[in-house]
Amino acid sequence: MENTGALDTASMQYALATHYISRDKLKTYRLLNRSLELSKGGKEVNKEVIKSLASVTQSLDRPRESYLWAMVGKEFEVPIASDSELRLLFGLTEEDYQLLNDQAERSPN
């Protein structure tokens, strides 16, 4: 049923992602991204998808991408850690933080 298209909605892709989160992080990542793609042009974004993307990219050892998702979440008013806590967590360069903050601010919301 997964490959039939019947589950090709934003909410169903998110539901599938929650099923796979402890089994297959890469598949979870793809499903979460697909959920965003199907979110009616960004008008009905599930904030849990953004939080989950920040979390799963962190577990996939993608700190820059994880930080970017955290900043996108902030743009969508998702509660996140303080700037100092984020800097401790991610340990990126100042240049990386500036670049990623600029990218997050350009996200459609």
Side-chain angles (χ1 to χ4, degrees):
M1 185 169 186
E2 217 175 302
N3 296 322
T4 66
L7 303 178
D8 209 22
T9 67
S11 60
M12 291 306 295
Q13 292 296 295
Y14 175 69
L16 279 171
T18 62
H19 171 75
Y20 282 104
I21 189 71
S22 62
R23 296 168 183 81
D24 187 338
K25 300 280 190 227
L26 200 50
K27 183 166 186 146
T28 300
Y29 172 79
R30 288 192 298 265
L31 289 165
L32 290 168
N33 273 291
R34 182 68 181 140
S35 177
L36 283 181
E37 290 170 7
L38 295 169
S39 294
K40 298 188 181 186
K43 293 179 183 166
E44 296 180 21
V45 173
N46 178 348
K47 294 177 185 180
E48 291 300 315
V49 172
I50 296 170
K51 285 172 39 177
S52 297
L53 277 164
S55 177
V56 78
T57 51
Q58 182 72 7
S59 69
L60 288 168
D61 197 27
R62 298 179 181 178
R64 290 174 47 102
E65 191 173 351
S66 181
Y67 179 81
L68 180 59
W69 281 117
M71 293 300 97
V72 169
K74 187 176 182 180
E75 293 294 314
F76 280 91
E77 300 178 358
V78 172
I80 62 168
S82 70
D83 286 342
S84 60
E85 291 170 323
L86 290 171
R87 288 175 185 270
L88 284 172
L89 177 65
F90 293 104
L92 303 173
T93 66
E94 190 58 42
E95 184 179 330
D96 283 338
Y97 288 118
Q98 188 60 50
L99 175 71
L100 295 168
N101 286 333
D102 291 345
Q103 286 178 359
E105 289 172 5
R106 289 192 305 262
S107 74
N109 61 358

